[in-house]
Amino acid sequence: QFKDTGCLCKRSSTGRPNVPDETVERVRESFVRSPQKSTVRASRELGLPQQIVWKILRRRLHFKPHRLQLLQQLKPEDYGRHLEFCVTMQQALEDEDFASKLIFSDEATFRLSGKVNRHNVKLWGTENPRAIVTLERDSPKLNVFCALSQTNLYGPFFFSYLDMLQLWLFRGFCLPTRRGTPHWNIDVRRYLNNELRHRWIGRVGEADVALFAWPPRSPDLTPCDFYLWGYIKDRLYITPLARTLVELRERIDAAVMTIDRMMLQNVWNELDCGLDCVV
């Protein structure tokens, strides 16, 4: 260019040539046959740059990467309960003292066999296929308890929910100021009714004395379900997978340590957004 024009300025570009229709059709047929295929794998199979495959999917074919989701189907009688709870919770969260003392808690099971990483597994298509997957059962596992508030994450603890209440929660905090979501277990609820009357939130029976009744089939409303466990498992189940329970536990500890106060504040904002969506 310098020899031709005496200038090093960049010439105006005519743009990259359009991808031929035959190539677009090859990409379409590839993902129709195997919608769960990654763009990297398709790139190797078709002999095309991965970026070109991505652009064809999004811009020419208008395909979208649909992530697997874990949902619980609501029953007709659930909607009123959800609305009542969300309105009540929003009103309560306007009180800064209440918000600062609210703790969400839950248990999760981590298996050596791993799980479907919903962040990495996508199904390409113009419509969401609502796919389900099968998981291996009865592999060695750890039951893990965690709790989180607006500013702190507690755990992980490797023991049962009732043990947690007796050995950790009531020894570590002042009884009248904490709220949590217990499992639907008669021993747990009996303990909470005796020790934390009108100060716990959870599924309730006729004889229970909770602060609020937690609506059934609503994992989208608790930060442990819509954020915490997915975040930990996305960082836990990466290759190579843990081979022993000791290594699995170490990975869980390391994943929890990456959660900071700013992330918890974002989770709290997402909780408020979720309540708004239901209303």
Side-chain angles (χ1 to χ4, degrees):
Q1 179 176 331
F2 179 76
K3 290 181 179 179
D4 293 340
T5 66
C7 178
L8 297 179
C9 300
K10 183 179 179 181
R11 293 176 177 176
S12 59
S13 174
T14 58
R16 294 185 178 182
N18 292 329
V19 177
D21 292 339
E22 294 81 2
T23 302
V24 175
E25 182 62 21
R26 287 174 57 210
V27 174
R28 189 192 69 81
E29 291 178 354
S30 176
F31 280 90
V32 168
R33 290 194 305 268
S34 180
Q36 193 170 326
K37 181 184 304 179
S38 69
T39 55
V40 174
R41 177 181 169 189
S43 171
R44 293 195 300 265
E45 293 178 353
L46 299 172
L48 297 171
Q50 188 264 348
Q51 187 177 13
I52 295 298
V53 174
W54 176 268
K55 289 182 178 180
I56 291 175
L57 288 170
R58 297 304 298 266
R59 299 180 182 178
R60 298 288 294 274
L61 297 174
H62 304 291
F63 278 24
K64 295 181 180 179
H66 301 285
R67 294 183 181 178
L68 297 174
Q69 295 185 358
L70 304 179
L71 302 176
Q72 295 188 33
Q73 185 175 4
L74 296 177
K75 297 181 179 180
E77 62 269 21
D78 291 338
Y79 293 97
R81 298 177 184 176
H82 272 68
L83 176 59
E84 180 181 0
F85 172 81
C86 290
V87 171
T88 302
M89 181 62 80
Q90 282 186 317
Q91 294 173 347
L93 287 173
E94 293 178 359
D95 181 354
E96 294 184 2
D97 184 60
F98 175 89
S100 66
K101 296 172 182 176
L102 179 63
I103 294 178
F104 290 91
S105 58
D106 195 18
E107 278 182 295
T109 299
F110 295 82
R111 298 181 180 274
L112 279 179
S113 61
K115 67 175 257 304
V116 175
N117 188 322
R118 292 178 290 118
H119 178 75
N120 293 329
V121 176
K122 301 182 180 69
L123 303 177
W124 287 89
T126 54
E127 297 182 0
N128 194 333
R130 310 297 180 188
I132 61 175
V133 295
T134 58
L135 299 177
E136 178 186 349
R137 297 183 63 87
D138 302 324
S139 66
K141 64 182 180 180
L142 287 175
N143 290 323
V144 182
F145 168 86
C146 279
L148 59 86
S149 68
Q150 192 172 9
T151 57
N152 292 295
L153 176 63
Y154 309 97
F157 302 99
F158 299 88
F159 43 76
S160 72
Y161 197 97
L162 184 56
D163 288 339
M164 179 281 305
L165 292 176
Q166 296 171 336
L167 302 177
W168 171 71
L169 180 61
F170 294 113
R171 291 185 181 181
F173 294 115
C174 177
L175 282 179
T177 61
R178 299 298 158 181
R179 301 165 176 86
T181 305
H183 288 188
W184 183 252
N185 179 284
I186 187 62
D187 293 330
V188 172
R189 288 184 287 126
R190 183 184 298 115
Y191 189 84
L192 288 173
N193 288 330
N194 293 333
E195 301 291 339
L196 207 60
R197 295 174 65 85
H198 300 295
R199 296 186 183 277
W200 61 274
I201 301 172
R203 294 176 58 194
V204 299
E206 294 181 358
D208 291 326
V209 283
L211 178 67
F212 303 142
W214 186 267
R217 290 168 289 279
S218 54
D220 55 320
L221 297 180
T222 171
C224 296
D225 282 326
F226 73 69
Y227 166 73
L228 179 63
W229 300 130
Y231 176 87
I232 293 175
K233 291 185 177 183
D234 280 345
R235 282 149 184 77
L236 184 68
Y237 293 115
I238 57 176
T239 54
L241 294 177
R243 292 175 293 181
T244 66
L245 291 180
V246 172
E247 185 179 353
L248 185 66
R249 180 168 177 165
E250 291 175 348
R251 289 194 181 191
I252 294 171
D253 286 327
V256 169
M257 290 296 293
T258 64
I259 300 175
D260 57 29
R261 179 167 294 194
M262 181 61 69
M263 296 167 68
L264 292 176
Q265 184 60 56
N266 291 336
V267 172
W268 226 249
N269 295 339
E270 190 68 21
L271 168 64
D272 187 58
C273 179
L275 296 173
D276 272 336
C277 289
V278 173
V279 175

